[in-house]
Every structure is written in structure tokens, then in C-alpha cells.
């Protein structure tokens, strides 16, 4: 039985108390599992817009050019919708990652881990969220 399983070590006001570590980890894992699909969809939409753009720019007929520009704008609109959803998901996941990092920092101090590990969690850019 580990140190954190033996006793209720939560104190008022700690990140540990306000963060559901397991729930956040599950959400992060689910997000990362879906990233490949999201990225492929965004990539495919970008390729579609680029192809329409090339056709639209090379077209000399005004009516065809207007239709292609409409198609290009509609394809770009779909890309924007997907990108905004992906960006929001990324922001939420980033907050979860920060929360989990805070819990780990508190736990490292609580059980007095070696100074090198504690220093890493207090000074390294990734741990102090300088990204």
C-alpha cells in the first residue's frame, strides 16, 4: 500500500483536493487517442481548399470562378468549424495537464522527494507552463 493510499492526506486548498486526477487522465488519454483522426480531417480539408483554390485561380469563366470561390469558402468554413473545436479541446486538455502537474508537484513536496526531482517540477519551463 503506497503512501497516498494509507491515509487521507488531503488538506484544504490543495490542488489535490480540487482535481480529479483519474478523471483528468482519462480525458487526456481519450483526447490524445482522437487527435490522429482530428488532424487527418483537418489535413484533408486543407488539401480540399487548396485544390479548389488552384482551380478557382486558373478559371477564366466568371460563372465557374464564382462557383469555385463559393465552394472554396464553404470548404474553408468546414475547416474553421473543425479547427475551432480542435483548438478548444486542446485548450481544455492543456488545463487538465496543468492541473495534474500541480497535484504531482504537491505530492513531491509532501513526501519530500529528492531535491533534483522537486527542482524539476518547480523550474523546468514545461512544469511552470512557460509554453
Amino acid at each position: 500500500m503506497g503512501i497516498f493510499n494509507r491515509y487521507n492526506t488531503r488538506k484544504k486548498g490543495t490542488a489535490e483536493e480540487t482535481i480529479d486526477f483519474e478523471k483528468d487522465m482519462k480525458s487526456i488519454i481519450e483526447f490524445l487517442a482522437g487527435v490522429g483522426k482530428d488532424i487527418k480531417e483537418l489535413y484533408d480539408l486543407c488539401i480540399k481548399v487548396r485544390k479548389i483554390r488552384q482551380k478557382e485561380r486558373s478559371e477564366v469563366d466568371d460563372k465557374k470562378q464564382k462557383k469555385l470561390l463559393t465552394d472554396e469558402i464553404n470548404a474553408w468554413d468546414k475547416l474553421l468549424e473543425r479547427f475551432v473545436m480542435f483548438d478548444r479541446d486542446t485548450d481544455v486538455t492543456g488545463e487538465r495537464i496543468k492541473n495534474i502537474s500541480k497535484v504531482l508537484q504537491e505530492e513531491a513536496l509532501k513526501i519530500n522527494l529528492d531535491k533534483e526531482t522537486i527542482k524539476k517540477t518547480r523550474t523546468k519551463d514545461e512544469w511552470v507552463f512557460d509554453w
Side-chain angles (χ1 to χ4, degrees):
M1 183 175 270
I3 292 173
F4 298 107
N5 295 333
R6 237 183 262 163
Y7 307 103
N8 182 359
T9 58
R10 295 179 183 211
K11 296 179 183 175
K12 281 191 174 184
T14 64
E16 206 179 340
E17 183 178 331
T18 59
I19 296 166
D20 187 339
F21 190 96
E22 293 302 320
K23 182 179 177 185
D24 281 350
M25 278 301 296
K26 181 180 179 198
S27 295
I28 291 167
I29 291 166
E30 288 172 356
F31 169 76
L32 292 174
V35 166
K37 180 183 172 216
D38 290 340
I39 295 298
K40 180 171 179 0
E41 189 173 336
L42 287 169
Y43 175 82
D44 291 346
L45 287 168
C46 280
I47 296 299
K48 181 179 180 178
V49 170
R50 186 173 73 181
K51 285 180 181 179
I52 295 170
R53 181 73 169 181
Q54 289 169 345
K55 287 180 187 177
E56 183 252 325
R57 291 295 167 183
S58 65
E59 188 56 61
V60 290
D61 182 290
D62 285 349
K63 286 184 180 180
K64 287 182 181 178
Q65 194 174 33
K66 285 180 181 180
K67 186 198 179 318
L68 285 168
L69 182 56
T70 300
D71 292 348
E72 183 181 355
I73 289 170
N74 289 333
W76 188 251
D77 183 59
K78 286 182 183 176
L79 182 137
L80 289 174
E81 288 173 357
R82 291 295 306 144
F83 184 82
V84 168
M85 286 174 41
F86 177 75
D87 190 46
R88 286 179 184 152
D89 288 347
T90 302
D91 290 344
V92 169
T93 300
E95 287 304 310
R96 287 183 172 124
I97 285 174
K98 289 175 184 179
N99 289 340
I100 288 173
S101 297
K102 288 175 187 174
V103 168
L104 293 173
Q105 287 171 335
E106 286 182 7
E107 289 176 353
L109 287 171
K110 193 177 293 182
I111 66 168
N112 200 23
L113 284 183
D114 62 277
K115 289 181 182 188
E116 185 177 322
T117 302
I118 291 174
K119 182 180 177 187
K120 179 189 303 182
T121 68
R122 294 292 181 201
T123 60
K124 194 171 177 187
D125 288 348
E126 293 82 1
W127 281 86
V128 295
F129 315 114
D130 192 14
W131 39 276

